[in-house]
Amino acid sequence: MTLEEMEKCIVRYTDLKPCKTAFIDAHTPGSNQKDNFTIIGSGVSESPDQYVHIDQSPGFNIGAAGQPPGCTNSLHSHTTAEVFYVFKGRWRFFWGRYGDSGEVVAEEGDMVNIPTGMFRAFENVGEDYGMLMAILGGDDAGGGVTWAPEVINDAKDFGLILGENGLLYDTKKGEILPKNVNPMPLLTETNLRNFSEITTEEFINNFFVSSSELKQKSQNLPLNVIGVDGILKDRPGFEVDYITSDTFTEEQYSSSRHEVNMIMSGEWSLEWDDNVATLSPGDTCLIRPEMLHKIVPKDLRSASLFRVTKTDDQAGPTWRS
């Protein structure tokens, strides 16, 4: 693979293109300053304006959410994995039918694997613009987002209607639902009773890992964060490993599966054949199967990345051992 071809598999943090109208709450006060980024795969955006950086899906999707202080992503649910790590800022994750079943505050480098079939939301509670990097299970990322009924109702007051086809229509721009498309139906009370509720303690014990714990447990080898034997035990169709300047592989290797490297901190060198590309914090790199390569830190004092690798597991409900 040439350097030019490889660059097409790298999405630079500085080149990320946001969509400000990605979801049903894009005009709702308190949520109307969100940026949505679709990095690898089609994502779950409901807007035709969403820019997709790499449209090929390796069996999972990579995205990001950027929000200024005080901005909230409204209550919603997914049918496949939604994993976040905090790249910048301080974030409050909260969950439950009305968002009051529990909450956790995540700092830079923390990882959250939010269970499927549960309403969740997140808010930037830091002092500056924050960024969450996201991994979504499945080639189609579960087919879209399920919104709490009040989110859809509130959006109508500000001109946005979600069609059954999963697309948004802005009535303030004169858009209307096509004749063959009905509005997205609201979940019934019977439907809503099927969504799970868990305590903060259960969430922290099973679905949250702090940056300090990651560093503490990754002393000698790459650390499996999400997987059958990971800190967060799950089988979402991919595994996530945490790799640092102390645990990287110095020898070139190849894999039979797609992998994605997401740089958390430090500068890294991607080396293959006779080529070298530099990966910086926030960069995302797709490595194709059977490509002989290595990724090594430029500074051995402090560098870290998350590596996502496809598995044979089917994307679906959160797995419990």
Side-chain angles (χ1 to χ4, degrees):
M1 179 178 287
T2 67
L3 181 58
E4 182 179 7
E5 290 170 333
M6 190 68 237
E7 283 293 338
K8 294 179 180 178
C9 296
I10 299 172
V11 179
R12 305 288 181 183
Y13 184 74
T14 53
D15 293 337
L16 286 175
K17 296 182 180 180
C19 178
K20 293 184 177 296
T21 58
F23 298 112
I24 186 69
D25 60 348
H27 295 340
T28 304
S31 300
N32 58 352
Q33 294 179 292
K34 297 188 303 180
D35 292 324
N36 187 71
F37 304 88
T38 298
I39 300 174
I40 299 177
S42 59
V44 290
S45 173
E46 297 158 348
S47 171
D49 297 329
Q50 180 73 58
Y51 183 83
V52 178
H53 289 267
I54 298 176
D55 59 9
Q56 174 189 357
S57 168
F60 51 87
N61 281 239
I62 303 293
Q67 296 173 198
C71 185
T72 298
N73 192 309
S74 302
L75 282 170
H76 65 283
S77 181
H78 289 267
T79 58
T80 62
E82 184 179 43
V83 174
F84 292 104
Y85 73 83
V86 179
F87 180 63
K88 287 186 177 182
R90 190 167 185 263
W91 295 77
R92 181 175 75 98
F93 291 86
F94 52 104
W95 56 87
R97 170 64 188 91
Y98 296 102
D100 56 4
S101 294
E103 66 175 63
V104 65
V105 174
E107 312 279 354
E108 290 184 4
D110 295 351
M111 177 165 278
V112 179
N113 176 26
I114 305 181
T116 55
M118 184 175 80
F119 286 113
R120 81 290 307 273
F122 45 89
E123 173 191 11
N124 179 354
V125 294
E127 297 180 353
D128 302 303
Y129 184 90
M131 181 71 81
L132 292 173
M133 308 301 289
I135 311 162
L136 300 170
D139 284 310
D140 67 348
V145 177
T146 300
W147 296 99
E150 58 271 23
V151 177
I152 295 177
N153 284 332
D154 290 346
K156 291 180 182 177
D157 294 335
F158 300 95
L160 284 179
I161 298 175
L162 181 63
E164 273 189 318
N165 57 0
L167 297 179
L168 286 175
Y169 298 87
D170 191 340
T171 61
K172 290 187 176 181
K173 292 182 178 179
E175 297 175 355
I176 60 173
L177 289 172
K179 290 183 178 180
N180 61 337
V181 176
N182 295 315
M184 183 68 72
L186 299 180
L187 293 172
T188 66
E189 288 301 318
T190 300
N191 297 145
L192 292 168
R193 283 194 288 271
N194 292 325
F195 286 78
S196 61
E197 306 270 345
I198 64 173
T199 65
T200 297
E201 181 180 11
E202 183 180 0
F203 191 96
I204 291 175
N205 288 340
N206 295 281
F207 305 107
F208 172 82
V209 58
S210 68
S211 174
S212 59
E213 184 178 359
L214 291 173
K215 292 174 182 176
Q216 179 185 4
K217 291 185 175 180
S218 61
Q219 298 297 317
N220 302 308
L221 295 169
L223 179 66
N224 187 224
V225 186
I226 296 179
V228 175
D229 298 313
I231 297 176
L232 306 180
K233 292 177 170 48
D234 200 357
R235 301 174 65 174
F238 57 83
E239 289 190 335
V240 179
D241 294 317
Y242 178 68
I243 298 167
T244 72
S245 47
D246 294 324
T247 61
F248 71 95
T249 301
E250 297 192 56
E251 301 296 325
Q252 287 199 342
Y253 73 97
S254 64
S255 171
S256 62
R257 305 183 183 275
H258 281 95
E259 68 177 42
V260 171
N261 292 277
M262 306 173 72
I263 308 302
M264 178 64 204
S265 63
E267 300 282 334
W268 293 75
S269 290
L270 169 63
E271 302 176 13
W272 75 101
D273 298 334
D274 294 321
N275 299 301
V276 178
T278 297
L279 302 176
S280 301
D283 290 353
T284 302
C285 176
L286 173 66
I287 303 294
R288 302 189 185 283
E290 313 303 340
M291 176 179 163
L292 191 65
H293 70 287
K294 65 178 178 178
I295 299 180
V296 297
K298 288 191 170 185
D299 186 341
L300 292 177
R301 291 174 297 180
S302 178
S304 61
L305 62 82
F306 290 100
R307 177 167 296 158
V308 189
T309 306
K310 185 184 184 308
T311 68
D312 288 332
D313 299 306
Q314 294 295 315
T318 299
W319 176 80
R320 300 289 189 92
S321 58

